[in-house]
Amino acid sequence: MSAQPPRTHARVVAKMLSLRAQPRRWRRLPRVVDLFAGAGGASWGATLAGCNVVAAVNHDPVMLEAHGRAVPWAAHLCEDLERLNVMALPAHEVTWASIECTGHTRARGREASHHDASRATAFCPVRVANYHRPRAVIVENVLDFDGWELLAGWLKLWECLKYRVQRAVLSGDHFGVPQERERVFYVMTLGTLEAPDLTLPPRVRCPTMREVVNLDTTQGQWSRWRDEYVPASVARIQDALAHQGGPCLVPYYGSESSHRGWSLDRPCGTLTRCDRYIVVVGELSRVLTVAEQRVVAGFPSDYPLPRVRRAAVKALGASVIPACSEWLFNKVMEVIR
């Protein structure tokens, strides 16, 4: 049996555009609206699951421009989700919402007034569901979302709208993506629909960072960390090298545990919205490249990202892992179809 062709961005987009040229088949695809779209991890997972992303919404025009190149058939709305006019969204079967996590995560640091505004974005998918009545809604966030003081009230709103609520915790490395990124997903299904089976599938073999990172110090932009880093970073790298006994990843910032470093013989830790990990080989170091972070985030090598490096890193660090969203969309499609 011949191997399946790789699901590159170009190949998948070509397939979708050929379907679009066949109106009868195109109209049969389940329609998805992606709120807080970002780099498009949820949209890409929906596409791989055979759905049609009809609209993507984000407040950042840079992210939307990249999303437009990634999912060119979708409508793109540059809107503040807290003030979104839900009537502007097209009819659809599934709403996805990767609501703001900065107000919920314990990594936010000192409590600040803008964290309340971040947490309030959780009510956006409720407003959309109240108006459009999609058959399913999927909400994604950090695990600390479960400790939100308004969570019980938020869940009650879904009950009032006649949605059944299920909860799942997924991590990229379970699906073969080299990132240990755990996220909680709330899956709401409407009315008399059967509850999707969210039992985790068997774990897929996951690449290690040794398979992802190029350790050749003659290639890329390496620097001498003893000379160029501040004393606190130098101490962190020294401790990490002593603990790991050789080349490793070192969190550029973080807690005391970052002094242990990160083994190359396991998947990467969670990416963040700015460069978090540096590769250290002997006396030389560098940050992970965008190409390496794209692999860690689970996107194909030709997947379009914002053209400016800082924006690309931000997009990947905030992105849903496509393999996780694809699995969830497939599970929801089983009951919708």
Side-chain angles (χ1 to χ4, degrees):
M1 182 181 294
S2 61
Q4 291 293 320
R7 298 192 298 179
T8 64
H9 177 262
R11 187 182 294 274
V12 173
V13 168
K15 178 182 177 181
M16 291 297 291
L17 294 180
S18 68
L19 279 176
R20 193 180 185 185
Q22 306 172 55
R24 185 173 297 179
R25 294 183 65 188
W26 186 252
R27 286 195 296 268
R28 291 198 192 110
L29 298 182
R31 295 163 296 177
V32 173
V33 165
D34 186 356
L35 307 178
F36 309 87
S43 293
W44 192 240
T47 302
L48 295 176
C51 300
N52 172 18
V53 180
V54 293
V57 189
N58 196 287
H59 70 284
D60 188 337
V62 174
M63 297 299 169
L64 276 184
E65 187 275 334
H67 194 288
R69 288 184 285 119
V71 188
W73 55 87
H76 289 84
L77 288 72
C78 190
E79 298 280 354
D80 183 338
L81 272 298
E82 292 181 67
R83 301 175 179 84
L84 175 69
N85 177 6
V86 297
M87 293 185 290
L89 297 175
H92 56 285
E93 281 74 52
V94 184
T95 304
W96 179 287
S98 294
I99 56 179
E100 277 287 336
C101 66
T102 52
H104 296 285
T105 177
R106 285 175 292 181
R108 67 181 180 269
R110 182 174 59 85
E111 186 68 20
S113 57
H114 69 272
H115 292 146
D116 282 335
S118 172
R119 289 187 283 262
T121 59
F123 295 105
C124 178
V126 178
R127 293 194 297 115
V128 172
N130 185 45
Y131 182 82
H132 286 280
R133 310 299 286 175
R135 304 191 75 191
V137 180
I138 304 173
V139 174
E140 178 259 355
N141 211 282
V142 294
L143 295 181
D144 295 324
F145 181 75
D146 286 340
W148 184 30
E149 58 268 26
L150 296 182
L151 180 64
W154 184 77
L155 294 173
K156 184 67 176 178
L157 290 174
W158 292 109
E159 180 184 331
C160 292
L161 292 176
K162 309 302 181 186
Y163 282 89
R164 176 193 289 109
V165 180
Q166 292 173 275
R167 175 184 175 277
V169 175
L170 307 181
S171 181
D173 58 313
H174 189 95
F175 294 88
V177 177
Q179 185 181 175
E180 297 178 7
R181 183 189 188 94
E182 276 194 327
R183 290 293 183 265
V184 63
F185 298 85
Y186 282 88
V187 180
M188 280 65 73
T189 45
L190 182 60
T192 57
L193 283 177
E194 292 183 19
D197 180 7
L198 299 183
T199 304
L200 282 177
R203 179 178 288 270
V204 176
R205 189 261 172 190
C206 184
T208 67
M209 288 305 290
R210 197 175 296 278
E211 299 169 68
V212 174
V213 173
N214 183 0
L215 298 178
D216 185 350
T217 57
T218 65
Q219 301 178 21
Q221 299 179 339
W222 296 81
S223 60
R224 295 191 172 277
W225 50 270
R226 290 187 192 274
D227 301 331
E228 300 188 22
Y229 287 11
V230 298
S233 295
V234 169
R236 182 182 293 118
I237 293 172
Q238 288 174 325
D239 291 347
L241 286 174
H243 186 81
Q244 297 295 335
C248 62
L249 297 181
V250 180
Y252 196 68
Y253 58 89
S255 62
E256 286 300 315
S257 63
S258 64
H259 284 253
R260 295 196 298 268
W262 196 272
S263 172
L264 294 176
D265 296 318
R266 63 188 289 190
C268 191
T270 302
L271 296 180
T272 58
R273 298 185 186 198
C274 55
D275 285 305
R276 184 181 186 188
Y277 292 98
I278 57 175
V279 188
V280 180
V281 180
E283 296 296 312
L284 299 177
S285 67
R286 64 168 175 82
V287 296
L288 289 175
T289 65
V290 170
E292 289 166 342
Q293 293 186 58
R294 186 192 273 116
V295 174
V296 169
F299 289 94
S301 60
D302 63 340
Y303 188 87
L305 294 169
R307 293 179 172 89
V308 176
R309 186 187 192 285
R310 179 177 294 182
V313 170
K314 176 182 177 182
L316 292 171
S319 178
V320 177
I321 291 179
C324 295
S325 58
E326 180 186 4
W327 183 78
L328 285 168
F329 276 111
N330 277 323
K331 289 298 179 180
V332 168
M333 289 306 108
E334 287 174 3
V335 299
I336 287 181
R337 290 192 173 117

